[in-house]
């Protein structure tokens, strides 16, 4: 099994910054992609940013130029640096990882989520 542990959420004023972290552990052979998704009340879960093992990155249009996704391949950790936060960024942020276990089974796992609230 593969598990994800998230940290870094909280409350911040508009214009502020937060950094989320997510570490994968368990029976990992490979991590093909790691990313962050978010879900606000009444909305579906949607991609925020995602990085593949080859270094390809996708961002949601709404966060381009404000958020940066980084990955530490040795620590199996992905970070989301969120700058210039706005109230519309308020949501539960979920980490996701996709890859193969050590017995070559596909995994596609989610973290429990971390709350980000942007409010004055």
């Amino acid at each position: 099994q593969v598990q994800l542990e998230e940290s870094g959420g909280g409350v911040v004023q508009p214009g502020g910054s937060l950094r989320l972290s997510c570490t994968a552990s368990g029976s990992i052979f490979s991590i093909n992609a790691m990313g962050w998704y978010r879900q606000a009340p009444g909305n579906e879960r949607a991609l925020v940013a995602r990085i593949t093992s080859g270094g390809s990155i996708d961002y949601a249009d709404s966060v381009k130029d404000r958020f940066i996704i980084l990955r530490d391949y040795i620590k199996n950790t992905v970070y989301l640096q969120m700058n210039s936060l706005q109230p519309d960024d308020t949501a539960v942020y979920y980490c996701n990882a996709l890859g193969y276990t050590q017995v070559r089974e596909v995994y596609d796992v989610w973290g429990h989520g971390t709350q980000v609230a942007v409010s004055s």
Side-chain angles (χ1 to χ4, degrees), residues 6-11 17-22 36 80 82 114-116:
E6 303 151 327
S7 63
V11 180
S17 298
L18 283 174
R19 188 169 90 154
L20 306 182
S21 299
C22 173
W36 291 94
L80 185 68
M82 304 185 292
T114 184
Q115 177 72 52
V116 171

Side-chain angles (χ1 to χ4, degrees), residues 76 87 92 95 104:
N76 290 337
V92 178
C95 181
R104 305 305 190 266

